[in-house]
Amino acid sequence: MNLPWWKTSVFYQIYPRSFQDSNGDGFGDIPGIISRLDELASLGVGCLWLSPLYPSPDADNGYDIADYCAIDPRYGTLDDFDELVSQAGARGIRIIMDLVVNHTSDEHRWFQASRARVDPYTDYYIWRPGGPSGEPPNNWTGFFMGSTWEWDDVRGEFYLHLFDKKQPDLNWHNPAVLAEIEDVLRFWLDRGIAGFRCDVITCLFKTSLDDGKGLPIVRGIEHYKTQPGLHEILRALRRDVLDPYNAFTVGEAAMVTVEEGRELTDPSRGELDLIFYFDHLEVDHIFSKYGPKPFSAKELMRRLTVWQQGLHWNALYLENHDQPRIVSHYGNDQAYWLRSAKLFAVMLMTLRGSPFIYQGQEIGMTNFDFTSIDELNDVESRNTYAMFGRIGIPKPARWAMIRQSSRDNARTPMQWDASDGAGFSTGTPWLRINRNYQFINYAAQEHNPDSVLSFYRQMVRLRADSPTLLEGDFIPVFANRALMVFRREFSGEPAVTVFLNMSNHAQPLSGPWATPLLQCGTATTCLAANTGRTKFTGALVPWEAVVVQDAVEPES
Ligand code: ISL
């Protein structure tokens, strides 16, 4: 087997402010992460993706960066960071940083200089005078609702911001911006990190500022999503910096097609190694995440198949700091919490690609239990709630929409134990801890062989030990509203079939797809099941997930 490290590793995303506080200020920090490295090693992860640790006024929880080459004092110091890289390295764990270069904070010194027209910063951002009656330069609308333009009195012009008004977009038409960012990459790579997760990377290059078409939801995107200019930038970064350091990148790629995904990740083009696409998490969306429709396993299978077969290698993920918890989203976090949380461990570890576990997913953390908008911190949720109010949606309906899709669902502090503060902090946490921490927590699961955590460990090992699961082709076998069955095949190795019942109902084992399951113990072997069963007759029980291996061909 000759795979690069990022194809064999399991990744783990840390949202630092919610992971582990070490000094009682209610805010997670780097010494906190260091103190949990043994737990991460015992899960079997090989690389940590750290959400932003840079100084930030926090308009968007660190995704508005005020200094790319420093650590926010709330998280610690550069020395702490170096210690983290070294201590993680000693356990065979690499680190990748979040690279947020579509925009900076408006408090970044580049923006402060740019608004005052101080060279060389004058053209680091996208400034325009606006229309004759003071209207914005075009009709674009942003990711967090409303116009993408903000008037700046200092400069006497509008600036573009695809996200919050405190996140002005960098001007990637200016070669000086590329040179600055290349230096940022070198700064962190010199400290020993393995690469970057590249935030909204597909939106970097704005080809034109013409009016956008369509409804006012990210209107204008056709002028900046995956443009030829973006491909050039990615190739420059790879050639100038990433290749010399042998560094890895995974790019966040919202709203891309599989063809675009192929272009971005085709190894011969030298752009990104992997992308995070969103298709598989939007099976139950009509139009946007605020308009839900019933989940269908068949539709999930259809979408996954497109990507599994369309890209040479996939970034596999079911959660991150922007998504609801998967056990609450597609799973059943009530009657079948344990079983459905484990089912997603099977899905994540048996698809073809590099799995990313989001903190807390490995213990089955659920969506938050907040009861009002006042408890929410997320800028997107707050803006959207207010905008829905302005267009006349009544409060209960607005709250219901935010409740199930808010990004804060994934941002509540990590539930380490059942003590006050959940072992996350001895102080007041920056965001309220989910009350279910007394039941769902790491300590309760650590030594329990039936826990979600133990099952994740088992599945991580299973993948690591199976050439078929690591490298095999993905072949769809069967799907209906409830069931997904797929196979992994790799030459010279026994094939593996995966059965997922994503419903609250038993699914009869009828049809040719069920044969490998019915033969468990005779012609096939059960490698893992979230029910602990090893023999199957009659039906798959609700939320049952089973991994079955064909008999090894006898040598002739
Ligand atoms: O989160 C989303 C929907 O709820 C996405 O539209 C998200 O805004 C988009 O994927 C970009 O996300 C990334 O960049 C944002 C930041 O707020 C997110 O946390 C980050 O993952 C701006 O930097």
Side-chain angles (χ1 to χ4, degrees):
M1 200 190 317
N2 193 16
L3 295 174
W5 66 266
W6 51 268
K7 289 192 176 175
T8 54
S9 295
V10 171
F11 290 71
Y12 185 94
Q13 183 192 350
I14 291 185
Y15 193 63
R17 72 188 58 208
S18 294
F19 188 64
Q20 177 68 63
D21 175 19
S22 73
N23 60 2
D25 64 359
F27 202 83
D29 47 42
I30 296 173
I33 300 174
I34 295 173
S35 74
R36 293 295 185 181
L37 285 172
D38 286 337
E39 284 84 343
L40 296 170
S42 78
L43 180 57
V45 303
C47 185
L48 307 179
W49 151 25
L50 306 176
S51 275
L53 292 163
Y54 319 94
S56 165
D58 259 2
D60 186 20
N61 284 8
Y63 282 87
D64 48 321
I65 296 172
D67 182 352
Y68 284 113
C69 296
I71 294 290
D72 191 300
R74 291 172 300 171
Y75 292 121
T77 62
L78 269 174
D79 285 345
D80 292 331
F81 182 79
D82 293 342
E83 181 68 13
L84 170 60
V85 174
S86 132
Q87 294 246 8
R91 292 164 176 84
I93 298 176
R94 295 176 167 84
I95 305 274
I96 63 171
M97 297 282 275
D98 220 309
L99 183 75
V100 188
V101 293
N102 176 68
H103 43 266
T104 68
S105 163
D106 64 341
E107 297 181 33
H108 195 291
R109 65 183 171 81
W110 299 343
F111 187 78
Q112 295 300 324
S114 190
R115 61 160 32 145
R117 298 179 197 260
V118 175
D119 278 332
Y121 303 104
T122 309
D123 295 325
Y124 268 39
Y125 296 83
I126 303 173
W127 295 99
R128 288 294 181 277
S133 7
E135 69 273 20
N138 66 28
N139 70 353
W140 292 9
T141 55
F143 284 76
F144 294 161
M145 303 291 170
S147 169
T148 56
W149 295 95
E150 183 72 10
W151 177 258
D152 185 59
D153 274 338
V154 178
R155 168 110 171 194
E157 283 188 310
F158 285 94
Y159 64 86
L160 180 79
H161 61 92
L162 294 185
F163 292 87
D164 190 65
K165 65 179 184 219
K166 282 184 70 61
Q167 294 169 294
D169 281 42
L170 283 164
N171 173 17
W172 281 90
H173 287 259
N174 182 347
V177 168
L178 175 66
E180 292 270 15
I181 299 303
E182 289 190 341
D183 282 346
V184 170
L185 265 62
R186 289 188 193 101
F187 177 88
W188 293 105
L189 290 166
D190 283 338
R191 304 194 97 88
I193 68 162
F196 299 91
R197 175 267 185 185
C198 309
D199 189 69
V200 286
I201 195 75
T202 41
C203 300
L204 241 51
F205 191 84
K206 285 79 182 172
T207 300
S208 88
L209 297 177
D210 294 344
D211 273 347
K213 295 193 190 76
L215 294 167
I217 295 178
V218 289
R219 188 164 56 201
I221 193 166
E222 66 274 21
H223 297 298
Y224 58 79
K225 191 193 67 167
T226 324
Q227 301 291 298
L230 169 76
H231 294 293
E232 280 173 36
I233 293 164
L234 292 176
R235 283 198 288 269
L237 291 173
R238 161 84 44 201
R239 182 191 60 230
D240 300 346
V241 188
L242 298 165
D243 271 350
Y245 284 88
N246 197 17
F248 159 82
T249 51
V250 52
E252 189 196 25
M255 292 176 266
V256 295
T257 62
V258 73
E259 290 74 26
E260 290 171 322
R262 243 193 320 264
E263 286 191 351
L264 291 163
T265 57
D266 176 350
S268 71
R269 291 171 56 96
E271 299 187 13
L272 297 164
D273 291 310
L274 296 175
I275 55 163
F276 290 126
Y277 47 84
F278 290 66
D279 254 6
H280 63 302
L281 294 178
E282 296 172 347
V283 167
D284 57 349
H285 292 186
I286 305 179
F287 205 48
S288 86
K289 63 180 181 176
Y290 303 111
K293 68 176 181 193
F295 171 79
S296 156
K298 189 168 190 165
E299 178 59 11
L300 177 59
M301 179 76 143
R302 190 189 67 73
R303 293 181 184 213
L304 281 173
T305 302
V306 167
W307 289 96
Q308 285 279 301
Q309 299 187 330
L311 300 188
H312 80 286
W313 200 261
N314 280 252
L316 308 169
Y317 77 104
L318 298 169
E319 291 185 20
N320 63 31
H321 63 294
D322 293 334
Q323 295 291 330
R325 293 288 185 177
I326 194 67
V327 67
S328 302
H329 182 194
Y330 289 167
N332 179 334
D333 65 8
Q334 301 294 310
Y336 295 107
W337 167 75
L338 182 66
R339 219 184 280 160
S340 64
K342 291 182 184 179
L343 176 139
F344 294 107
V346 173
M347 185 185 291
L348 193 63
M349 295 301 154
T350 58
L351 287 167
R352 178 183 156 87
S354 302
F356 286 71
I357 299 172
Y358 176 68
Q359 67 181 44
Q361 183 179 346
E362 78 278 25
I363 56 167
M365 277 178 64
T366 65
N367 277 357
F368 66 61
D369 55 349
F370 302 161
T371 51
S372 99
I373 189 79
D374 301 329
E375 286 190 290
L376 263 65
N377 162 280
D378 176 26
V379 56
E380 181 196 68
S381 300
R382 289 178 159 275
N383 288 1
T384 307
Y385 186 81
M387 196 278 283
F388 285 168
R390 286 196 296 277
I391 61 172
I393 302 179
K395 262 190 183 175
R398 271 193 274 166
W399 175 243
M401 289 193 263
I402 296 294
R403 166 98 202 56
Q404 44 112 21
S405 55
S406 169
R407 305 192 302 178
D408 278 350
N409 279 310
R411 297 179 179 183
T412 59
M414 180 72 186
Q415 296 165 201
W416 290 107
D417 61 39
S419 67
D420 286 352
F424 163 69
S425 177
T426 53
T428 308
W430 74 275
L431 188 66
R432 184 164 73 64
I433 296 166
N434 194 313
R435 289 193 183 87
N436 66 19
Y437 77 93
Q438 305 217 337
F439 167 64
I440 300 176
N441 65 66
Y442 188 93
Q445 299 191 21
E446 192 174 7
H447 303 295
N448 174 353
D450 297 326
S451 67
V452 182
L453 179 62
S454 297
F455 194 72
Y456 261 93
R457 288 187 185 133
Q458 180 193 339
M459 290 306 303
V460 170
R461 261 197 316 273
L462 189 70
R463 173 183 182 273
D465 294 343
S466 163
T468 305
L469 287 181
L470 281 173
E471 285 198 74
D473 292 336
F474 170 92
I475 295 147
V477 174
F478 178 78
N480 62 24
R481 272 204 95 70
L483 278 175
M484 274 178 58
V485 182
F486 59 86
R487 211 167 149 75
R488 303 287 309 280
E489 290 182 359
F490 191 50
S491 66
E493 294 287 334
V496 171
T497 315
V498 179
F499 301 83
L500 305 171
N501 176 6
M502 300 184 70
S503 81
N504 296 332
H505 307 285
Q507 300 298 321
L509 297 179
S510 54
W513 62 267
T515 308
L517 257 187
L518 295 167
Q519 292 177 339
C520 273
T522 53
T524 65
T525 314
C526 175
L527 294 180
N530 63 350
T531 45
R533 293 210 286 172
T534 53
K535 294 243 163 100
F536 302 86
T537 51
L540 281 172
V541 299
W543 295 100
E544 191 159 36
V546 190
V547 185
V548 172
Q549 182 172 276
D550 283 3
V552 191
E553 292 294 314
E555 281 177 44
S556 52

